[in-house]
Amino acid sequence: MNTPVHWLVDAARRGYPNIVVAGSVTIAPNLNDAWSQVCSLFHISAQELTALVAQAHGLEPGTLKRFQPGDGSCLPERMCRQMGLAPLWHERDLACIAVADPRLTQDQFKQLSFAAKRQVQLVVLSPEEIDTCQTRLFAQALREGNTKTRVIDLLAQGIGSDSSTVKLSNAILRTAIDRNASDIHIHPFVGGGAIRFRIDGVMRRIATLPMESLESISRYLKTHAGLEPNPLKPQDGRLRLKYGQREIDVRLSILPAYDGDRIVCRLLDQSRNFSLHQSRFSLADQQALHRLIGQSAGIVLLTGPTGSGKTSTLYALLAELNSVDVNIMTIEDPVEYVLPGISQVQVNEKQGLSFADTLRSILRQDPDVVLVGEIRDEETARIALQAALTGHLVLSTLHTDDALGSIPRLLDLNLDASVLADALIGVVSQRLVRCLCEDCRQPRLAPLLAVEEEFHRITGELPPYRPVGCEACGFTGYRGRLPIIEYVEMTSELRQALLLGGRSLATLKDAVRGHRRSMAASAKTWIVSGMTTLQEVQKVLGTKFWDELAQEHGKVPGAVNFDVGTQTDRRMKVLLLSKEDALAAHLKAVLPYGVHLVADAKAAADYIEKYGDVIAFVIDSGLCTNTPVAWMVELRTVLAASGLPALFVLREGMQTLELLLERYGAPSIGIVEAQTDALTASFNLLLQGNR
């Protein structure tokens, strides 16, 4: 007996019949999760799925541009929430009602018309847009109770725990902990408040609430954190949660915004154990990190943006070094996790306790290992390097984009190159990417995605799995994160280059050849092992991943347009303006881009307006049927607004056009050359000149 196809999958398949969804895939019962899951399975945006659902049910897709919340709702709130719909606008005899699930029965449709007291026109919106509309229409107050509770026990059933504010606040905190969220964001949103969790580095909308509830939650958290109730003053504080046997510290930041307090809670589980293995470093990366911290003296630097896992990796390295015969001291701003057996000092700039001042004092405490939370200025950098030269192992972080870039950054702080050459052990740059959920990931099926085609062209390999989504991963297809790193180890060649004044990245890269592993290489191992996806890596590393991967494999980098927001990916294309299929076939064979053939400039402009994934034009002069000047004017009128470069293919007997192109500096290539490898070189020069 065949399992019936989910109605959302059926709707999406109308537009993408070649996409195969395995029969074992379970679509989420919750409409929001199901919508997101189907978008991921078919690699389409919520707007595209909206249009397909509307088409499947003979309706029109809705738009928030016509939403009129100021007119109030023509339907009761209870009906809207129960049936998952939202009135967008209403006139005297007609109401436009948006639904995410248009499978209404005749009785339900009659019930809507009766309640609205007018005829009803249904349109389709995504569940998230429905939720936004409902929030703006029905922002109502929750009753607020007063509580004097000093300790937040999330499971307590005592006095004051029946307060709606206490219940709501504790429910938010419990849910965040249960979902392994790292941060809770509660902020003003379209007439009310929105609750979002950062899970595995990605923000996810959880719920919305009335503005009055947002204000009461803000007061509740300020009270327990010992902060002032003044709504015009930004404040930072801490509080502790008790959740069964777990204790979780909350680092609280409250910022007054135009329409209410913006609250961010960083959750820090003090029962967490730190180790390189639990941080999911590969064995090769663990061995590289052990080599760096295996030195008795010197400095090891970690780089990367905020949220890239630097602090967790530093704590894991300290855990590897921590023993009774090693004196470890840290300087942090702030101290996030309390590590047993380690002396931790929190910087307090307001009271004159800076990184540099604290580091001087710590060096008089006879430490073996010193962790400096961040090198921010010349003074701190100079003291840290001096400590590394006098027999201490120093670990610290630096804000640079990659590992090699930290060396010029330190030299820019007026550090002596010879001191840096003697003190530096190595540099690690880190990012975090989401892991594929092992409960629901599915083997790769045809057709290949654009990113998969590009990866195979460069490496000759393909990722084995794709994300699907299940209850275990919140129907995202991903659960947990793993690190990808670039590391650089000090070599005699690098030391010599620094002593000779070498500062360029090209010089430094040559000096560490064989003692550097790129981030693209690290990411590739996770991709081919099925632990993560190309889309996830590109979202984190950007186009740098493709450039570095192509360079390591001796290939010319192509380009893929991957829009994270809409979950669609397309291989960047060259628009060929020609009527020659043979020329198009040759371009497809030699260029690392997709090639799309169009008949004329108007067709090219129409394609750009619709898709926007074009990187350049190749224009066949064979299309010139009138005077070259008039033809060029026509091309510029239609295509110049795109700002894209163009390469002309000149046919024989087009001397007038050739002179005209030379006059305006427009690049061109002969028809004979266009059928050789010279085309690739000309095209690469064209793109470089446009950057």
Side-chain angles (χ1 to χ4, degrees):
M1 182 177 179
N2 293 329
T3 303
V5 178
H6 193 278
W7 66 274
L8 272 176
V9 173
D10 184 61
R13 191 172 285 162
R14 291 170 177 262
Y16 299 89
N18 294 330
I19 299 294
V20 178
V21 178
S24 59
V25 173
T26 301
I27 302 300
N30 177 272
L31 188 60
N32 291 59
D33 292 334
W35 200 280
S36 175
Q37 186 183 8
V38 171
C39 286
S40 178
L41 287 170
F42 284 83
H43 315 289
I44 58 178
S45 66
Q47 287 71 30
E48 289 177 284
L49 184 54
T50 297
L52 291 171
V53 169
Q55 181 184 5
H57 292 83
L59 302 175
E60 292 292 328
T63 173
L64 293 184
K65 293 180 180 179
R66 291 211 61 188
F67 182 40
Q68 299 173 354
D71 293 344
S73 176
C74 60
L75 294 174
E77 177 183 359
R78 185 174 181 179
M79 173 182 285
C80 291
R81 296 195 183 278
Q82 285 181 344
M83 298 179 65
L85 49 85
L88 293 184
W89 52 266
H90 58 269
E91 298 172 348
R92 185 171 183 177
D93 299 320
L94 181 66
C96 181
I97 310 297
V99 293
D101 184 350
R103 299 174 301 159
L104 300 182
T105 64
Q106 286 293 330
D107 288 341
Q108 288 175 319
F109 191 80
K110 290 179 181 178
Q111 184 183 359
L112 279 181
S113 298
F114 179 79
K117 299 182 177 63
R118 48 180 63 86
Q119 291 184 352
V120 169
Q121 173 190 345
L122 290 182
V123 296
V124 179
L125 283 180
S126 69
E128 185 170 308
E129 290 174 318
I130 296 286
D131 187 44
T132 297
C133 295
Q134 289 179 348
T135 301
R136 297 187 66 178
L137 284 171
F138 306 119
Q140 295 180 354
L142 291 178
R143 293 183 180 178
E144 176 189 351
N146 295 321
T147 175
K148 300 295 184 180
T149 307
R150 294 184 178 181
V151 178
I152 299 183
D153 187 341
L154 299 181
L155 300 179
Q157 298 293 329
I159 298 175
S161 61
D162 58 341
S163 161
S164 59
T165 300
V166 175
K167 286 183 177 180
L168 179 60
S169 302
N170 290 359
I172 294 170
L173 294 168
R174 284 196 304 269
T175 304
I177 296 170
D178 291 339
R179 297 195 182 188
N180 293 318
S182 61
D183 300 88
I184 303 171
H185 290 244
I186 308 172
H187 59 88
F189 177 76
V190 289
I195 302 170
R196 297 191 295 172
F197 294 166
R198 189 176 293 280
I199 302 174
D200 294 334
V202 177
M203 296 287 283
R204 297 182 61 187
R205 170 99 65 89
I206 303 302
T208 54
L209 66 161
M211 180 58 70
E212 290 79 0
S213 299
L214 173 66
E215 295 171 352
S216 62
I217 290 173
S218 177
R219 288 193 293 269
Y220 176 77
L221 293 175
K222 286 177 182 177
T223 299
H224 282 81
L227 301 177
E228 298 179 15
N230 182 5
L232 301 178
K233 180 180 179 182
Q235 298 184 86
D236 295 325
R238 297 187 76 136
L239 52 89
R240 174 158 291 195
L241 308 177
K242 184 178 181 183
Y243 191 26
Q245 300 300 315
R246 300 170 66 183
E247 286 191 348
I248 293 143
D249 280 353
V250 179
R251 201 170 76 197
L252 187 66
S253 174
I254 300 181
L255 176 68
Y258 173 74
D259 47 358
D261 284 341
R262 200 183 196 289
I263 307 167
V264 177
C265 305
R266 168 68 57 88
L267 303 179
L268 306 168
D269 190 346
Q270 296 302 317
S271 63
R272 177 180 175 184
N273 293 321
F274 293 94
S275 73
L276 294 178
H277 177 71
Q278 289 188 358
S279 297
R280 308 184 76 168
F281 283 96
S282 68
L283 181 59
D285 290 342
Q286 290 182 46
Q287 293 172 350
L289 291 170
H290 281 137
R291 284 198 304 271
L292 295 180
I293 64 172
Q295 308 293 327
S296 60
I299 185 168
V300 177
L301 295 173
L302 265 74
T303 74
T306 301
S308 61
K310 298 189 301 295
T311 299
S312 296
T313 300
L314 284 174
Y315 283 167
L317 293 175
L318 291 182
E320 300 282 337
L321 294 167
N322 193 13
S323 65
V324 294
D325 58 345
V326 178
N327 181 18
I328 302 177
M329 303 189 72
T330 75
I331 313 167
E332 304 174 58
D333 184 21
V335 173
E336 293 190 348
Y337 294 93
V338 178
L339 304 177
I342 294 176
S343 299
Q344 296 171 264
V345 180
Q346 181 160 313
V347 169
N348 192 330
E349 298 279 359
K350 294 181 180 178
Q351 297 182 3
L353 195 61
S354 65
F355 273 106
D357 294 335
T358 307
L359 182 54
R360 288 193 189 93
S361 298
I362 277 182
L363 293 178
R364 294 192 287 269
Q365 295 284 319
D366 189 29
D368 298 302
V369 179
V370 178
L371 185 151
V372 181
E374 181 183 350
I375 293 179
R376 298 178 176 177
D377 51 43
E378 178 183 347
E379 185 179 14
T380 304
R382 196 177 299 280
I383 299 172
L385 260 65
Q386 190 62 41
L389 287 175
T390 55
H392 305 87
L393 178 61
V394 180
L395 308 179
S396 189
T397 67
L398 192 68
H399 279 290
T400 58
D401 187 54
D402 54 29
L404 277 178
S406 63
I407 296 177
R409 168 76 175 126
L410 289 171
L411 294 175
D412 287 340
L413 292 176
N414 297 320
L415 299 181
D416 189 274
S418 62
V419 174
L420 180 60
D422 290 338
L424 186 64
I425 298 174
V427 188
V428 178
S429 183
Q430 177 173 320
R431 303 291 189 276
L432 293 174
V433 295
R434 291 184 297 171
C435 304
L436 276 169
C437 175
E438 297 185 9
D439 289 348
C440 65
R441 66 183 184 181
Q442 293 287 340
R444 181 194 67 257
L445 298 172
L448 292 180
L449 304 177
V451 286
E452 293 169 343
E453 289 180 354
E454 181 69 6
F455 187 74
H456 183 262
R457 183 187 70 83
I458 294 174
T459 67
E461 300 187 78
L462 283 169
Y465 297 108
R466 288 178 181 168
V468 175
C470 64
E471 187 174 357
C473 61
F475 297 96
T476 63
Y478 298 91
R479 183 169 56 171
R481 289 194 289 178
L482 51 84
I484 53 176
I485 68 170
E486 171 197 7
Y487 63 80
V488 172
E489 299 179 72
M490 177 59 70
T491 64
S492 57
E493 292 81 5
L494 178 58
R495 183 174 288 106
Q496 186 66 22
L498 289 174
L499 294 176
L500 293 176
R503 296 185 56 162
S504 71
L505 291 180
T507 301
L508 298 177
K509 188 175 292 187
D510 287 339
V512 295
R513 194 178 302 276
H515 293 269
R516 170 182 177 264
R517 190 186 189 209
S518 70
M519 202 165 284
S522 178
K524 176 189 170 185
T525 60
W526 290 124
I527 292 167
V528 298
S529 65
M531 294 299 292
T532 190
T533 63
L534 283 159
Q535 294 94 326
E536 181 67 15
V537 169
Q538 181 171 291
K539 186 180 75 171
V540 173
L541 298 184
T543 58
K544 179 181 178 181
F545 166 69
W546 296 107
D547 293 339
E548 198 167 56
L549 192 68
Q551 183 179 6
E552 292 190 353
H553 287 81
K555 298 292 180 66
V556 176
V560 173
N561 176 38
F562 181 72
D563 189 336
V564 177
T566 61
Q567 298 184 351
T568 59
D569 69 317
R570 301 184 181 95
R571 193 176 183 185
M572 295 297 283
K573 293 183 177 63
V574 175
L575 274 190
L576 171 61
L577 282 67
S578 177
K579 295 181 180 179
E580 295 288 338
D581 292 335
L583 182 58
H586 181 71
L587 262 63
K588 290 179 181 179
V590 300
L591 293 180
Y593 307 97
V595 176
H596 186 78
L597 182 65
V598 293
D600 51 34
K602 184 179 184 305
D606 291 342
Y607 182 91
I608 292 174
E609 178 69 22
K610 187 174 182 180
Y611 295 105
D613 57 355
V614 179
I615 196 169
F617 302 111
V618 173
I619 303 174
D620 184 357
S621 64
L623 295 178
C624 181
T625 57
N626 50 11
T627 64
V629 173
W631 185 58
M632 289 291 293
V633 170
E634 178 189 355
L635 288 176
R636 288 191 57 80
T637 302
V638 178
L639 301 179
S642 69
L644 297 174
L647 176 66
F648 286 83
V649 177
L650 285 173
R651 296 182 177 271
E652 295 181 2
M654 306 290 289
Q655 288 82 6
T656 303
L657 178 60
E658 184 176 2
L659 291 173
L660 188 64
L661 293 174
E662 289 179 357
R663 182 188 306 171
Y664 290 103
S668 63
I669 188 171
I671 185 64
V672 176
E673 294 174 303
Q675 296 171 350
T676 68
D677 291 339
L679 174 65
T680 303
S682 299
F683 199 81
N684 289 336
L685 288 173
L686 175 75
L687 295 181
Q688 291 173 9
N690 197 55
R691 288 173 181 169

